[in-house]
Amino acid sequence: MPRGEEDIVTEIDRADLLQQFASDNYAGICPEAWAAMEAANHGHVSSYGDDPWTVKASNAFRELFETECEVFFAFNGTAANSLALASLCQSYHGVICCNSAHVETDECGAPEFFSNGSKLLVAECEDGKLTPNSIHEIATKRQDIHFPKPHAVTITQSTETGRVYSLAELRAISEVCRTHGLYLHMDGARFANACASLACSPAEMTWKSGIDVLCFGGTKNGMAIGEAVLFFDRKLAIDFDYRCKQAGQLASKMRFLAAPWVGLLENGAWLRNAAHANMCARYFAEQIAGIPNVKIASRIDANAVFLLAPEEVLAGLRKRGWKFYTFIGGAARFMFAWDTDLVRIDALSRDLREVAEEFSTVSSPSAVSAA
Ligand SMILES: *Cc1c(COP(=O)(O)O)cnc(C)c1O
């Protein structure tokens, strides 16, 4: 007899299934992506992207971005970013990025690996944002043959620190890129959250602002797996299909990477999902306002909230079962997803208030100020 869903779920500790806000990739698959996967699970179609779902998804991107871009589907963001950057560079080139960029801190050297050595040229940034000045500085610092030649810039939208570049900031960056002959790549693992935050069109935030290549994140937006790579300058996409195949990123049953995009893009679920996540971040910030010794570390532009709190308070939260990371941005990070339940935010806020109040009554004033 086949095991039912209930049997499998009861084998897992139910406490492990409660919503957590450590990352937006803790969430499951949204109904629209799930339904499209199910719809794609009928009959036989050709493999390796030669199927109607891949065509439909690619066209959905072209319609959404109002341009005839080249579209590719990769399994994850590390591959999408690394292969996109590799396509912009020779091995002796350099890619300017921010010190907190995912390509620098969380991709295990994959951009250098897939580009056969293009070096990341890291700028010290505030708020996780590159500035035209920092790009200019790195682009002009060394012009000699002993240093990698800067050839591309990568920015993350929204940033690893939960901030969003304004259209004016993007345009200023692309202007300095043009001046120095640098291609501009956007890591859009949370592209949808940035779009919802700025209330601008995807076209305005990308090619109309000078972005050459975008990695559009599906995983954190409600898919099981998958990122799309969009080339707005179609010349840059030449042979990218070979690059994906060689890197192990060509799905043979491509329709299951492509179909969920149809579900997300067709009726605007991508933007609704992101808007909900962003709203939840603001809601959390409102719920925890005024808690002693707990400070919101940076402006909330998208779906992240970073908290500064004494180590004892964070430990107290962990003891109550809450999961979160502190290695990003030097603060405790809470990320909200398409499915975030306000009731869980209320529970987290209540726990945070209780542990913080306990701490402030037991701790001496000097301990508080030291924290
Ligand atoms: C999550 C994320 C990615 C993608 O990571 P993978 O684990 O490789 O899918 C890329 N960039 C940023 C900024 C991210 O947060």
Side-chain angles (χ1 to χ4, degrees):
M1 213 177 81
R3 297 195 318 165
E5 195 180 311
E6 273 306 304
D7 300 332
I8 297 168
V9 170
T10 46
E11 282 171 17
I12 299 169
D13 186 345
R14 282 185 184 275
D16 289 341
L17 299 176
L18 284 172
Q19 266 192 13
Q20 292 283 348
F21 307 118
S23 180
D24 31 4
N25 60 19
Y26 275 39
I29 304 167
C30 72
E32 293 85 353
W34 187 260
M37 290 275 271
E38 195 160 294
N41 198 27
H42 288 279
H44 282 205
V45 298
S46 300
S47 49
Y48 297 110
D50 185 20
D51 69 85
W53 287 98
T54 303
V55 172
K56 219 169 138 84
S58 303
N59 286 336
F61 274 110
R62 293 181 187 117
E63 193 174 319
L64 181 66
F65 281 81
E66 307 166 58
T67 186
E68 283 299 304
C69 49
E70 292 284 355
V71 183
F72 300 87
F73 301 101
F75 290 107
N76 64 23
T78 299
N81 283 336
S82 302
L83 296 173
L85 291 173
S87 74
L88 302 177
C89 291
Q90 298 288 340
S91 57
Y92 48 83
H93 283 147
V95 176
I96 299 171
C97 72
C98 173
N99 57 343
S100 56
H102 196 270
V103 292
E104 159 69 4
T105 63
D106 286 295
E107 299 191 354
C108 196
E112 292 92 335
F113 175 75
F114 281 114
S115 61
N116 291 313
S118 307
K119 186 175 161 64
L120 293 179
L121 307 174
V122 179
E124 294 302 315
C125 307
E126 273 174 49
D127 277 346
K129 283 187 187 178
L130 270 179
T131 60
N133 253 346
S134 57
I135 295 167
H136 174 82
E137 247 172 56
I138 294 182
T140 55
K141 193 170 75 177
R142 290 278 297 269
Q143 316 261 305
D144 60 275
I145 203 160
H146 303 285
F147 192 74
K149 186 178 182 183
H151 206 249
V153 170
T154 177
I155 53 176
T156 308
Q157 179 80 321
S158 55
T159 72
E160 291 78 2
T161 52
R163 301 295 311 278
V164 172
Y165 289 94
S166 68
L167 291 183
E169 285 173 323
L170 292 177
R171 284 168 190 165
I173 284 173
S174 75
E175 204 177 297
V176 79
C177 288
R178 298 305 149 209
T179 307
H180 296 293
L182 304 165
Y183 289 120
L184 184 52
H185 164 261
M186 181 180 275
D187 174 351
R190 301 189 180 88
F191 181 85
N193 301 92
C195 239
S197 172
L198 291 183
C200 69
S201 74
E204 281 175 308
M205 210 164 76
T206 54
W207 60 276
K208 287 187 179 174
S209 296
I211 307 296
D212 298 302
V213 186
L214 166 71
C215 295
F216 190 136
T219 309
K220 287 167 184 152
N221 193 222
M223 282 171 46
I225 294 166
E227 318 281 299
V229 184
L230 275 59
F231 287 88
F232 301 110
D233 177 348
R234 301 180 71 187
K235 284 193 308 295
L236 296 173
I238 292 172
D239 291 346
F240 193 72
D241 44 352
Y242 287 87
R243 200 181 280 286
C244 288
K245 172 66 192 183
Q246 187 183 48
Q249 290 291 318
L250 178 63
S252 72
K253 288 190 181 176
M254 183 68 91
R255 67 186 184 281
F256 295 111
L257 272 194
W261 282 114
V262 176
L264 276 181
L265 300 186
E266 228 170 23
N267 295 307
W270 69 281
L271 195 57
R272 283 195 302 279
N273 285 354
H276 175 77
N278 292 358
M279 179 277 284
C280 288
R282 294 191 303 270
Y283 177 81
F284 178 52
E286 283 163 21
Q287 298 314 299
I288 61 171
I291 296 183
N293 301 314
V294 174
K295 243 184 71 189
I296 292 171
S298 72
R299 213 176 90 172
I300 297 162
D301 286 343
N303 62 329
V305 176
F306 287 82
L307 294 183
L308 292 168
E311 199 39 59
E312 292 86 340
V313 171
L314 298 180
L317 266 190
R318 287 204 176 91
K319 220 166 121 196
R320 290 184 181 213
W322 293 102
K323 297 180 184 175
F324 50 89
Y325 299 122
T326 49
F327 68 89
I328 305 157
R333 188 188 75 162
F334 295 87
M335 299 288 326
F336 301 93
W338 65 270
D339 68 339
T340 294
D341 185 351
L342 296 184
V343 170
R344 275 299 276 173
I345 298 184
D346 290 340
L348 170 62
S349 308
R350 213 165 35 240
D351 279 346
L352 179 59
R353 190 174 293 277
E354 282 174 15
V355 291
E357 280 170 1
E358 264 167 41
F359 172 76
S360 70
T361 53
V362 299
S363 65
S364 65
S366 62
V368 174
S369 60

